[in-house]
Amino acid sequence: MDPAQFLTAPRVTIVAGKGGVGKSTVSVNLAVALALTGAKVGLLDADIYGPNIPMMMGVEKTPEQKDGKIAPAESHGVKLISMGFLVPEDTAVVWRGPMVHTAIQQLFRDVLWGELDYLLIDLPPGTGDVHLTLVQTVPITGAIVVTTPQEVALADARKAASMFKLPNINVPIIGVVENMAYFTPAELPENKYYIFGKGGGDLLAKEYMVPLLGQLPLVQSIREGGDSGKPAILDDSNPILQAAFDEVINNTARFISIRNDEKAATKVVEITRG
């Protein structure tokens, strides 16, 4: 494998302890928002068992192959690749660890990413084969943990964060994004209703001594954007939503830069059995 084509760019994983907290939604909107700043952004959908990124980015056409390599699809200024392009939409992926390991390696080795400023990697929920394969395949700059405020989500988010803090993995956590932090009705823009609890993301960030990158509201347009293939970050009709996304984007770029200034470059993880 020749990793030189993408190793110069920060490789940031988007992780969550459980499904349903909006991890892929954060990944898609973060990628598009970074691209809107003029950055060259790649988005790798490593959620082998539930690859939703193509739908959320509005891409149906299978990427083309060139000289045995895969040219990533492009949408909203972002290059992307996903297992969703490689298996039929209505087909379940029922793979054991070795097949998952091979698939993840191919998503790096066989994709013509070209020059990038950021490579975002959307991981499946939990901690498992995909996560281990990833850190054994390429050096990971850092992880962003996505959670909702409720304790059930926080309990699993802690497990996801703890995995990256293990001594033999030791991938820095860039920060925490709290999704569905509050609900603000369009007709009452000054009101906030904390449907799933309050302050959970801030609590998790403090526990791991990392920044809270931002709090995203629970709004209908985010769901609609994911279903329609037009990410909510492109809708400038909701100033509250735009301000929330701006905070996440600015803090993410800032703390990736700080991480690179203050910490040594990561290395591929070597995991040995005792």
Side-chain angles (χ1 to χ4, degrees):
M1 176 171 52
D2 178 13
Q5 58 181 324
F6 55 80
L7 282 185
T8 56
R11 298 154 308 282
V12 179
T13 62
I14 318 297
V15 302
K18 69 189 301 294
V21 299
K23 170 184 54 62
S24 294
T25 296
V26 171
S27 298
V28 163
N29 283 282
L30 179 57
V32 173
L34 288 170
L36 289 173
T37 69
K40 298 175 181 178
V41 182
L43 176 58
L44 192 158
D45 182 4
D47 192 342
I48 298 294
Y49 304 108
N52 297 317
I53 296 296
M55 176 190 295
M56 300 176 79
M57 291 289 283
V59 179
E60 297 180 359
K61 184 179 178 181
T62 302
E64 298 178 355
Q65 292 197 15
K66 297 181 181 179
D67 301 324
K69 301 289 186 179
I70 301 172
E74 293 194 36
S75 180
H76 307 302
V78 176
K79 294 181 179 180
L80 63 136
I81 195 67
S82 168
M83 281 300 300
F85 294 133
L86 309 178
V87 296
E89 184 177 346
D90 58 351
T91 301
V93 177
V94 186
W95 288 352
R96 295 186 182 274
M99 295 182 68
V100 172
H101 184 87
T102 299
I104 292 298
Q105 289 191 323
Q106 287 180 329
L107 290 178
F108 284 97
R109 182 183 63 219
D110 296 339
V111 176
L112 298 170
W113 289 108
E115 182 182 352
L116 295 176
D117 296 311
Y118 298 95
L119 178 61
L120 304 185
I121 306 163
D122 183 47
L123 289 177
T127 55
D129 286 335
V130 173
H131 303 67
L132 290 175
T133 294
L134 179 66
V135 297
Q136 290 178 289
T137 300
V138 293
I140 299 302
T141 303
I144 293 174
V145 181
V146 179
T147 186
T148 58
Q150 66 196 109
E151 184 55 43
V152 170
L154 291 173
D156 289 338
R158 290 184 182 100
K159 296 172 185 176
S162 295
M163 173 190 172
F164 289 98
K165 299 291 284 185
L166 289 172
N168 60 336
I169 294 180
N170 195 29
V171 170
I173 297 175
I174 302 298
V176 173
V177 174
E178 184 182 85
N179 194 29
M180 307 181 204
Y182 56 87
F183 171 65
T184 296
E187 65 276 12
L188 298 170
E190 301 302 320
N191 290 26
K192 291 184 178 181
Y193 300 95
Y194 299 93
I195 297 174
F196 295 111
K198 183 178 181 181
D202 187 48
L203 175 63
L204 182 66
K206 288 177 179 176
E207 286 179 9
Y208 286 89
M209 295 182 287
V210 298
L212 178 65
L213 300 175
Q215 296 173 304
L216 297 176
L218 177 64
V219 295
Q220 183 174 336
S221 61
I222 293 182
R223 190 275 302 165
E224 292 173 341
D227 289 346
S228 68
K230 184 178 179 181
I233 188 67
L234 298 172
D235 177 12
D236 58 5
S237 65
N238 188 328
I240 294 175
L241 181 60
Q242 286 296 316
F245 272 126
D246 285 346
E247 181 182 22
V248 172
I249 303 315
N250 292 335
N251 281 335
T252 296
R254 174 189 171 201
F255 284 106
I256 288 175
S257 179
I258 291 174
R259 173 261 176 272
N260 287 337
D261 287 342
E262 295 182 350
K263 297 180 184 295
T266 52
K267 299 179 181 179
V268 170
V269 173
E270 296 183 7
I271 299 176
T272 59
R273 292 184 174 88

